[in-house]
């Protein structure tokens, strides 16, 4: 994140003696996500962050992808999932590739351990529910519609006010960043960006857990889980500063860019990863040219897969789609409005749609789990209906 943040107590300079009230030294840790050349933060612990009481093998978490599948448009209905597990153990991998992994979570339980993903950065999208993320860098209060962007290596735990809660867990094997075109040479967000630095919510509070009490941290690394037990509480940081930290950003703080004629998906871009982007389709005014067609034109995404997660049911023109639906429009074949949707959209002034989109530049592969919630007839939804054309204003304009 291109911004300097500091929280808690810090010594005057890096790498000098920083003493506890009892005269002992705090343990300094450099927290870097790209060697010694990328963004870094420096943390000061009460205990040695290297101290471990024991560890236990918890097995592979590598998704089993389906290879060599025939090409077709896909529709998954996450409403068919039952609440299961916590915010980590309940993750169901639905699709992924070498750059990014899409996990669906219908959280049933609170976490009773801490978690660290050393394989990748995480972008969690909280579909519904409120709560609190405790982390190595401090506490973030989160709410419905928040993205939680968590740098790899961050120790954290989610606590929800009420359960069950629906969420997405997008794991990125490269860094998740604010798009470069939104930033100036100093990293500051530019005036044309669809959100501002004030919308980014870093940790605001740093509770210090100094007690020597055995605490578990589940670590994901090399697509494998290992449960570490430390003889102290890992959130024992008295202060930190730098450019690496988790943050929250609410989808309703995204300021949609609108135009006289239809604007392409990049104007919805929220974050960028390695070979993929995350976009937010938010309620907004529609195209205002007197002859505008407010729904997108047919397009051949010959080089990217497009996945949309529908956060509400304001999608009147896309038949069969419901809140919690996921559509995958794969590279290699065109997609666009369903028959009658263009005519039905004429004169529409506003859309209330809300969706999260992930576009990838390498094909997404589905998992066996995704087939269990698939609507196998979705590819037929572009067939011309035998009956009268659709009437009324189309609400889905997005992708
Ligand atoms: Fe599209």
């Amino acid at each position: 994140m291109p911004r300097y943040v500091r929280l808690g107590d810090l010594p005057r300079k890096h790498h000098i003696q920083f003493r506890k009230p009892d005269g002992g030294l705090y343990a300094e840790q450099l927290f870097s996500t790209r060697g010694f050349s990328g963004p870094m933060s420096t943390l000061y612990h009460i205990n040695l962050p290297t101290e471990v009481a024991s560890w236990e093998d918890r097995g592979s978490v590598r998704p089993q992808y389906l290879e060599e599948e025939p090409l077709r448009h896909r529709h998954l209905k996450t409403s068919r999932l039952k609440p299961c597990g916590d915010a980590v153990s309940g993750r169901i991998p639905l699709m992924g590739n070498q750059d990014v992994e899409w996990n669906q979570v219908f959280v049933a339980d609170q976490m009773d351990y801490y978690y660290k993903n050393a394989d990748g950065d995480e972008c969690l999208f909280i579909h519904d529910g409120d709560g609190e993320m405790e982390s190595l860098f401090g506490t973030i209060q989160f709410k419905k519609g928040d993205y939680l962007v968590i740098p790899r290596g961050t120790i954290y735990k989610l606590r929800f006010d009420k359960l069950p809660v629906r969420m997405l867990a997008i794991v990125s094997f490269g860094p998740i960043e604010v798009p470069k075109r939104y930033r100036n040479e100093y990293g500051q967000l530019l005036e044309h960006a669809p959100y501002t630095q004030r919308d980014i919510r870093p940790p605001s509070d740093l509770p210090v857990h100094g007690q020597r009490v055995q605490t578990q941290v589940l670590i994901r690394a090399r697509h494998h889980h290992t449960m570490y037990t430390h003889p102290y509480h890992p959130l024992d940081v008295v202060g930190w500063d730098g450019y690496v930290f988790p943050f929250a950003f609410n989808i309703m703080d995204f300021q949609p860019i609108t135009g006289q004629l239809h604007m392409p998906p990049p104007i919805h871009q929220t974050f960028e990863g390695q070979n993929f982007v995350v976009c937010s389709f938010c309620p907004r005014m529609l195209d205002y040219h007197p002859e505008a067609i407010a729904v997108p034109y047919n397009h051949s995404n010959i080089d990217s897969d497009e996945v949309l997660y529908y956060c509400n049911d304001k999608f009147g023109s896309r038949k069969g789609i419901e809140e919690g639906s996921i559509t995958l429009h794969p590279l290699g074949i065109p997609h666009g409005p369903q028959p009658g949707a263009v005519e039905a959209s004429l004169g529409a002034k506003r859309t209330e749609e809300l969706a999260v989109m992930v576009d990838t530049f390498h094909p997404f592969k589905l998992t066996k789990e995704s087939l269990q919630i698939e609507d196998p007839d979705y590819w037929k939804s572009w067939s011309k209906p035998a009956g009268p054309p659709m009437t009324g204003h189309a609400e889905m304009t997005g992708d």
Side-chain angles (χ1 to χ4, degrees), residues 54-352:
S54 63
W55 58 267
E56 185 185 334
D57 185 354
R58 291 293 177 93
S60 173
V61 287
R62 190 183 294 278
Q64 299 298 307
Y65 294 124
L66 302 168
E67 304 287 345
E68 307 297 333
E69 277 223 294
L71 181 66
R72 64 184 190 278
H73 293 308
R74 316 298 288 251
H75 174 206
L76 311 179
K77 293 188 164 188
T78 68
S79 61
R80 293 178 179 175
L81 297 174
K82 300 278 183 269
C84 171
D86 60 44
V88 173
S89 67
R91 294 181 181 190
I92 299 171
L94 293 181
M95 60 192 91
N97 61 24
Q98 63 267 53
D99 302 310
V100 57
E101 193 182 284
W102 179 299
N103 296 277
Q104 201 71 31
V105 203
F106 198 178
V107 186
D109 305 316
Q110 303 284 5
M111 294 172 69
D112 58 3
Y113 54 90
Y114 289 86
Y115 180 62
K116 171 163 83 173
N117 191 336
D119 274 340
D121 289 12
E122 295 193 340
C123 177
L124 309 181
F125 177 73
I126 310 295
H127 184 150
D128 44 24
D130 303 322
E132 183 178 81
M133 181 176 79
E134 289 179 71
S135 86
L136 201 56
F137 297 91
T139 305
I140 298 176
Q141 307 294 329
F142 65 79
K143 59 189 176 186
K144 174 180 178 170
D146 270 348
Y147 293 101
L148 294 173
V149 178
I150 306 170
R152 67 198 58 210
T154 302
I155 297 173
Y156 74 89
K157 180 194 280 186
L158 300 186
R159 188 170 54 247
F160 297 95
D161 293 347
K162 270 195 317 193
L163 289 169
V165 161
R166 293 173 290 180
M167 60 177 257
L168 308 179
I170 295 164
V171 178
S172 167
F173 301 113
I176 296 176
E177 298 183 317
V178 173
K180 284 189 182 62
R181 69 177 191 279
Y182 294 166
R183 298 183 255 143
N184 64 20
E185 63 190 295
Y186 304 100
Q188 186 176 17
L189 285 163
L190 291 161
E191 285 292 306
H192 70 265
Y195 52 91
T196 74
Q197 225 93 35
R198 293 182 199 172
D199 299 316
I200 304 288
R201 289 152 37 219
S204 55
D205 187 30
L206 186 65
V208 181
H209 299 272
Q211 61 272 37
R212 296 284 295 182
V213 54
Q214 290 217 332
T215 310
Q216 290 189 309
V217 179
L218 183 68
I219 302 176
R220 173 177 167 165
R222 305 175 185 214
H223 302 286
H224 205 92
H225 272 171
T226 308
M227 182 65 90
Y228 268 68
T229 302
H230 297 282
Y232 58 88
H233 197 296
L235 306 191
D236 64 344
V237 173
V238 297
W240 66 270
D241 70 337
Y243 285 67
V244 178
F245 52 87
F247 64 86
F249 170 75
N250 194 271
I251 193 168
M252 298 307 285
D253 286 329
F254 188 90
Q255 302 151 202
I257 296 166
T258 59
Q260 188 188 45
L261 293 171
H262 194 72
M263 304 290 279
I267 55 114
H268 303 281
Q269 189 179 351
T270 311
F271 305 117
E272 67 186 5
Q274 181 176 285
N275 296 318
F276 77 94
V277 297
V278 178
C279 298
S280 304
F281 289 85
C282 298
R284 63 192 182 279
M285 303 307 291
L286 291 172
D287 318 330
Y288 49 84
H289 188 285
E291 295 175 73
I293 293 175
V295 292
Y297 32 84
N298 301 297
H299 48 288
S300 296
N301 42 316
I302 203 73
D303 60 352
S304 69
D305 277 4
E306 297 187 8
V307 179
L308 264 169
Y309 177 69
Y310 302 80
C311 308
N312 65 19
D313 59 359
K314 309 296 185 191
F315 304 100
S317 69
R318 200 173 276 280
K319 288 175 292 185
I321 297 300
E322 59 189 26
E323 183 173 350
S325 281
I326 297 172
T327 55
L328 164 58
H329 298 150
L331 58 79
I333 43 177
H335 65 269
Q338 290 166 323
V342 168
E343 293 77 5
S345 77
L346 301 179
K349 303 290 185 213
R350 186 176 167 81
T351 176
E352 298 303 324

